[in-house]
Amino acid sequence: MVVIPTLSLDQLNEADQAAFTQLLDGIYEHSPWIAEATWAKRPFASLAHLKHALAQTVREASVAQQLGLIRAHPELAGKAAVAGELTAESTNEQSQAGLTHCSPDEFARLQQLNADYNAKFGWPFILAVRGPRGTGLTRQQIITTFARRLRHNADAERAECLRNIHRIAEIRLNDKFGVAPTDGNQILDWADALAAHTEGTGDNGLDGALPLTLTYLTPEHQSAATQLQIWMRVCGFDEVKLDAVGNVVGVYHGTDANATRLLTGSHYDTVRNGGRYDGRLGIFVPMACVQALFKAGKRLRYGIEVVAFAEEEGQRFPATFLGSSALVGDFQPEWLDTVDAQGISVRQAMLDAGLSANLDDIRALARQPQRYLGFVEVHIEQGPVLHALDLPLGVVTGINGSVRFNGEAIGVACHAGTTPMPMRHDAALAVAEIALMTERRARDDAHAPDGPSVGTVGVLHVPQGSINVVPGRCQFTLDLRAPTDAQRDALAADVQTFTTTVAERRGVDIHLTQTMVAAAAPSDALWQQRWEAAVSSLGLPVYKLPSGAGHDAMKLHQILPQAMLFVRGGNDGISHNPLETITNDDAQLCVDAFMHLLENL
Ligand SMILES: [Zn+2]
């Protein structure tokens, strides 16, 4: 389809308020107040800037105004659709999604969902039916999303409706501006095609999203690696190879083939039932950049080395970061002898995959830091922060340091009916106090200069607990993370001190055993500034956040300056789940930001 632009930024920037509002008519359904209020925020440096400013106007509006905007929308496949009373834009979107061709069963189901939804929330269900790729969700995806969102509470659902309205507006604006996120589309298509390499098949019923599992060196993992090599060659990389641990490495030479290189990449393995962007996005974005450079016949003064790491998630074998560990010379020889659930060792899996399993070959993968400028990684946020702020990109200030403990409280199990409250030594309540204190203490760091801390009691178990017995034993875990090691240690020390206090006051023995500690990896100041400049160049506000999850960059941190860029995830930022999603427009912004970084080194 050839899109004829009917609108430009110059037109909007030069328009008076009335003309501006007229030009944006139909972008937000029956709600000219959004354009009117956004007019004052001119001039817009980019389409992304305009989209963000419009969303900002809605964020700043009252709840009543927001609900008015939501109520200005028609029901999906509702009476208005049937009676042909929709705006031209809505008719186009609903018919593209096939909603005008529902089977009688689907139509009945949608009517029931509409009725239930309206009864619960009092406004119509809003969904950007053209979806993350802009080509339309299937009717089944629409129905399962509808049913899932019916379980939200009202505040969360109102926010989700507004985000869908912004996505609808984004697609309508793209149409008016005659722009298509070509690289973003390419990335979503690569992600879909790579997700076809999965262990096991079948639909798990989550919005029609297929489950994806790809663990180290399975046949599917090997075929995914082959696919990546084929794509890298098509993109125009000069050297493409599979290394001794199964990483796929592509090099695009600089003007001098021996020039120092920028190292980038992320992992292509997944957790069980994972998402298709976790890790992979950080491979696809630089691939799209190299493809663009190659097509334009351009060489940079330095080389670009993209590594698709074979293993990061630690799913098949009891070791993690196998791929990036090899690059920093930290691959542990004993890992070769660890075995999976079937008793197959890493060594055997390597031999079966045609790799040498020779320790010298693995050691040879260690990179010489002086040959590289640094390491950058693009990653899906895997959290709800950017999504909730209507921000497509975020600059990572560092990867949180973490510490984990296993804990056990031993009190006295006794009769729930006969033991007076002051005479109890309840092990579970002691742990409950620790859990609440951990929450409170971590929240105290909300405005810490280096970023907030997080603390979680993920396991709280009363062995052989019974309804009429005061818990005599409670097993629990503690996971504490903070942007610096000092902040993490201060948090851990406070929790430990409190644990001692609770133990004494309640007459309960509590033991904490540290099971893991990982150093924080703060972003390199200069590389972080380069990401900030890149985001700024797109007309977007620079939002900085720490990474709560570990990433390959944490490993590369051992030998190179590093910094990461996050992109928001849809569906409340859910990750390690087939519902993980990003839009083609956000993927495009990642490519644009990466290109800016490359061209301004
Ligand atoms: Zn990841």
Side-chain angles (χ1 to χ4, degrees), residues 115-128:
D116 293 348
Y117 188 94
N118 238 306
K120 178 168 179 181
F121 299 113
W123 63 72
F125 173 69
I126 315 285
L127 178 65

Side-chain angles (χ1 to χ4, degrees), residues 17 26 105 129 161 206 212 305 316 319 367 382-383 431 441 455 462 498 505 529 537 548 557 563 598:
Q17 192 180 23
D105 277 358
V129 291
C161 284
L206 289 167
L212 165 60
E305 183 171 327
R316 182 175 172 191
R367 299 301 198 263
Q382 300 187 281
V431 177
R441 176 60 184 78
V462 178
F498 181 80
R505 175 160 44 77
Q529 278 166 24
S537 77
H557 184 81
L598 289 176

Side-chain angles (χ1 to χ4, degrees), residues 459-493:
V459 170
L460 203 152
H461 174 58
V462 178
Q464 282 115 38
S466 173
I467 192 166
N468 56 0
V469 177
V470 174
R473 239 175 111 202
C474 183
Q475 296 163 332
F476 64 103
T477 58
L478 264 174
D479 177 304
L480 308 172
R481 307 185 193 210
T484 65
D485 292 348
Q487 190 174 321
R488 173 204 63 196
D489 293 343
L491 171 63

